[in-house]
Each structure stands twice: as structure tokens, then as C-alpha cells.
Amino acid sequence: MSTRRRRIIFIFPYHNNAYDTIRAVQGQADVTFLSPKTLAHSIYLKEGIDLKQVVATRWPLLGRWYNWQDLWGNTEGATHIVVKHFWLPENIVPLLVAWRRRAKVLVMLQSKQFLRLTRVVAQLLGIQLFSVVPTDSVPYLPAVIDPARFITQSQPVSHTLRLLCVAKYQRRKNIHVLLDAVSLLKKRHPNVSLELRVVGMTVDQSYYDEIVHQVEQADVREVFTLETHTTNQQIQRYLAASDVLVLPAEREPLGYVVLEAMAAGKPVVTTHDVGAAAYVESGVSGSLVAPGSVQQLATALTTYLQRNAPNHQRLAAFGQAGRALVDKHHSPAVFWRDFESLL
């Protein structure tokens, strides 16, 4: 393989961290990004991402399966094939294609679940693992983000603490916990002006209906805004206009929006159960709380208040610290340096 011209194929479903990963390696090597067709492809195409759509079919329980012939036709000359997650059934076909192409396989991990078993199986199959969350036994490559695409200029001073939650409407995201925490914060500090905007896809309609009912029954329902349809560009604008990003999820493998908020220069409040919590320095660039704790979440949000108003000095300091961490550990140049060492 050493005499072959290096050609790297990423086979990723659409996700924001896939987008920034591809941006980081494009231009550094012969890279192609293959992804099943989704409505989100317009984001890649507008940004000039080298994207090829491949045929994939969704099966009940088994999830998405790629078309063998389509993948084979798009991987000619591949020396390296990179996929996300280890135990997804959809990766079986890419791994078989890589074996037939005699290409080295790299798997990006976003969770420590089944890590010991994953390492054993990967070693037997000759697969190179790397993880975007810290582990003691797998090379750690912090998730990459392009901070240049985020707005960091100062916003007009506001007397309202503007909170933003970007999360799918599903129970493990704990949006209901956040609503209770904001209601408690308002009860403790009745003179504080608060806004909470929740933005995300409706994955669980019954849970979304539950959230809507919770808002309608809340004593401070005027504080809450729920949105179900948005774009990456709108989320970037919402981040720019917010003071704090809150992600109260549990069992969250990564939580890429945490990194997006840091790149936008915003403090983050999240839980210890979110993978990207490893990127947050509590008390420096944000706050970490136990998942499901209304009390801890409300107390953490109080950190960003001073005399019943936003503590703009602390908000700015935490936001700048988060952005500095992104520049130091998560830039495209840093990611490519570490990624290239695995090839």
C-alpha cells in the first residue's frame, strides 16, 4: 500500500461533525465523501464539499444499508476507508468493500460503550480505531470544527439572559428537565428577564406533544419558544444571538452543538453524560451538571446572573475561553496533523 497514491474515502451519514471533518481534510489529500442521499446535502453542495451520493436502503430494525455495487463503483483506488461508529449494521457493506479493495479501515468512535470488546474485534480485523472523546486505550482525536463559520462579534447589550437549547425532541435530551429548571430559576429570581429557545427535529412526536403541554401549563410560558424546523445557518444565527448554550441530555455520545457553541464564543451548560463535556472546562468555559437534576441545572444557570441581570463580564470571559480551547484543540490544522499520523 505504501507505493499507492493515497486516496481517502469517508463513508458518513450526514451530520455537522462529518461536515467539518471533511472540510478539515479536503485539500490535504485526495479525499472523497460518500453519504446516503438526504435533504441536508444542499449544505455540502453550497459549501463546495466534494460529495457523492450513494444508494442506501432503510430496513426495519437493521437501519440503513448501502448498496454494494454503488459503493464498489465509488471506491476504486481507495487506500483508506473511514466510517463512523463500530457496531452499526450499515457499516458491514463498507467494511466488506474495504476488505476487497485492500484498503486500510479507520473507524471514528463517539462513545466509550463496549470499548473493550470493540478494541479486541478491531485488532482481530486489522481496523484502526480513533475516538473523538477521551479514552485511555484508543487514539484520541478531538472532534474538529471550523471556527471561521461562526459569528463571534459582540451583540447589543441585553438585560435578558438568552438561553438556547439545540436538541432533537426525544426524551433522553431532557428538554422537560430544562423547562423545569428555567421555571425554578424564574421562581428564585422573579425579577430576572429570561428567554429560552429550543430548536430541534421532532424525533418522538409524543414527547414533543408532552413538551408543548408542559410549556402551555407553565407559569412562565412566555419565556419559552419551541421550534421544530431550522437550518444550520439559522442555528448559527441563534448561537450568535444567545448568551448560553444548554444541552441537558443523557446518554449523549458526543453532542456536537457543544463544540459549535464554543466556536461561537458562548458558554456551555451541559451534563457529565454528554461526550463533548470533555471539551468544557467547568468554571472556565462553562458548567457541568448531573443529568436529570433540575436543581443543579437551575443553579448552574444562576452562575450567569448578577443582580437580577445577565453577568456580561462572566459570559464574555467564559465564551472567550471556550473559543480559545477550540482554536487550540479542535481546529482543522490540528485534526489533520493527528489524523495523518494514523494513516
Side-chain angles (χ1 to χ4, degrees), residues 128-153:
Q128 173 67 63
L129 302 175
F130 66 97
S131 175
V132 296
V133 294
T135 73
D136 295 329
S137 52
V138 174
Y140 171 48
L141 275 65
V144 61
I145 194 164
D146 181 5
R149 66 185 179 91
F150 291 90
I151 304 168
T152 56
Q153 66 259 33

Side-chain angles (χ1 to χ4, degrees), residues 282-293:
S282 188
V284 176
S285 61
S287 309
L288 302 178
V289 301
S293 174

Side-chain angles (χ1 to χ4, degrees), residues 161 243-244 265-267 304 310-320:
L161 184 65
D243 295 311
V244 182
K266 303 298 176 180
Y304 304 98
N311 186 335
H312 293 290
Q313 184 175 0
R314 175 166 291 176
L315 289 167
F318 277 39
Q320 290 167 8

Side-chain angles (χ1 to χ4, degrees), residues 9-14 33-36 54 56-57 59 62-68 71 81-99 105-110 118 125 127-129:
I9 308 289
F10 284 79
I11 305 175
F12 279 8
Y14 169 77
F33 178 32
L34 305 180
S35 183
V54 289
T57 304
W59 296 92
L62 295 178
R64 181 192 298 110
W65 280 69
Y66 293 95
N67 179 278
W68 165 272
L71 273 190
I81 290 180
V82 188
V83 298
K84 282 178 62 178
H85 309 302
F86 192 83
W87 296 104
L88 288 184
E90 69 185 56
N91 283 334
I92 292 176
V93 175
L95 292 178
L96 288 173
V97 167
W99 174 70
V105 177
L106 296 92
V107 179
M108 175 192 289
L109 303 180
Q110 293 187 181
T118 300
L125 297 177
I127 292 174
Q128 173 67 63
L129 302 175

Side-chain angles (χ1 to χ4, degrees), residues 33 75 79 91 206 224 310:
F33 178 32
T75 56
T79 57
N91 283 334
S206 63
F224 305 123

Side-chain angles (χ1 to χ4, degrees), residues 157-163 185-186 188-195 243-244 300-316:
V157 174
S158 172
H159 297 293
T160 299
L161 184 65
R162 299 161 298 188
L163 309 174
L185 180 62
K186 186 66 175 175
R188 290 176 177 175
H189 305 275
N191 296 323
V192 168
S193 178
L194 293 171
E195 291 178 0
D243 295 311
V244 182
L301 294 174
T302 306
T303 301
Y304 304 98
L305 293 175
Q306 185 178 43
R307 299 187 184 90
N308 291 325
N311 186 335
H312 293 290
Q313 184 175 0
R314 175 166 291 176
L315 289 167

